[in-house]
Amino acid sequence: DGLMLNAPTPDDYRRLIPIANRHGITVYAWLWTLNLEHDRKQIMAEHPEWLSVNRDGYSLVDSMAYVPHYTFLCPALPEVREYLKERVRSFAEVEGLEGIAIDFNRFVDVLLPTTRWPRFGIEQDREYPQWDYGYHPAMIEKFKTLHGYDPRKQEDPAQDTLWRQFRCDQVTEVANELAEVVRSCGKVMG
């Protein structure tokens, strides 16, 4: 009685909803957020400075994390948050859409399950810098302003619980801001 669809544009939902509703099916949008999806190439070309940076200082524009479709944005950037809110709003305003579920509202996997290690020829017995994302200069500056130090100066930044929580909080703030947009359009958020 319900369908969660991952479609590239709001117009795709506008075409589908009347058909689904005729059959008693409600429609929900399933949108990737911090990991780019349908608009990946465009955003990477127009705003490469929005992409996440790992502890080694490499952006996802310049290096790959596991697979090419891991193109995560930095949640600390106000421009990224505005872009995501406007994108989500464009879907939430679709008449007849029941709600929106967000996905990939996180950072790149810092540790993969052991069953995935052979596929990538890796062993992750701890958090390694090349897979530890959330080190965008804007993220570092925001943290330094709040807490007075640069987490990269720690012996092992991955063990800094204040830094770890700060990065998680940035992702949570994005989810909460997107939920406000969805609810302001009278839709449910997942």
Side-chain angles (χ1 to χ4, degrees):
D1 63 355
L3 170 69
M4 186 178 303
L5 178 67
N6 177 254
T9 72
D11 285 339
D12 294 316
Y13 292 91
R14 287 183 184 98
R15 285 190 294 276
L16 173 70
I17 288 168
I19 298 166
N21 289 169
R22 280 198 302 268
H23 298 282
I25 299 171
T26 57
V27 179
Y28 296 81
W30 169 34
L31 303 176
W32 291 16
T33 56
L34 288 173
N35 187 18
L36 295 170
E37 187 182 19
H38 302 295
D39 51 0
R40 178 181 303 123
K41 288 180 182 178
Q42 177 187 349
I43 296 300
M44 288 181 74
E46 293 176 6
H47 299 287
E49 72 280 6
W50 289 2
L51 276 286
S52 194
V53 174
N54 68 19
R55 193 175 354 144
D56 282 335
Y58 293 106
S59 167
L60 286 168
V61 170
D62 305 315
S63 65
M64 185 176 72
Y66 310 114
V67 290
H69 71 268
Y70 267 25
T71 48
F72 286 77
L73 300 170
C74 173
L77 290 168
E79 311 90 292
V80 165
R81 291 182 183 202
E82 287 308 309
Y83 161 75
L84 291 173
K85 287 190 288 190
E86 287 309 309
R87 182 170 175 270
V88 166
R89 182 180 312 285
S90 72
F91 286 87
E93 290 176 340
V94 171
E95 188 176 327
L97 187 72
E98 295 293 318
I100 293 178
I102 62 172
D103 199 354
F104 283 105
N105 197 66
R106 59 180 177 82
F107 291 105
V108 170
D109 306 279
V110 68
L111 295 170
L112 290 178
T114 56
T115 56
R116 305 294 285 167
W117 294 358
R119 176 178 179 201
F120 298 105
I122 60 173
E123 186 173 309
Q124 294 178 317
D125 56 341
R126 62 185 173 86
E127 294 182 18
Y128 288 95
Q130 67 266 37
W131 297 298
D132 187 11
Y133 281 82
Y135 288 79
H136 191 285
M139 184 83 77
I140 299 290
E141 283 307 309
K142 195 171 182 179
F143 181 83
K144 281 171 52 175
T145 299
L146 272 171
H147 300 289
Y149 69 96
D150 186 332
R152 297 170 297 183
K153 305 287 186 211
Q154 303 298 311
E155 185 175 325
D156 185 0
Q159 299 306 311
D160 185 336
T161 55
L162 194 58
W163 170 238
R164 183 186 303 271
Q165 187 61 54
F166 174 80
R167 290 186 293 168
C168 290
D169 291 345
Q170 296 304 299
V171 171
T172 301
E173 287 176 15
V174 169
N176 289 338
E177 289 177 20
L178 297 179
E180 284 179 29
V181 169
V182 171
R183 290 184 194 119
S184 76
C185 294
K187 312 293 175 152
V188 297
M189 169 78 169

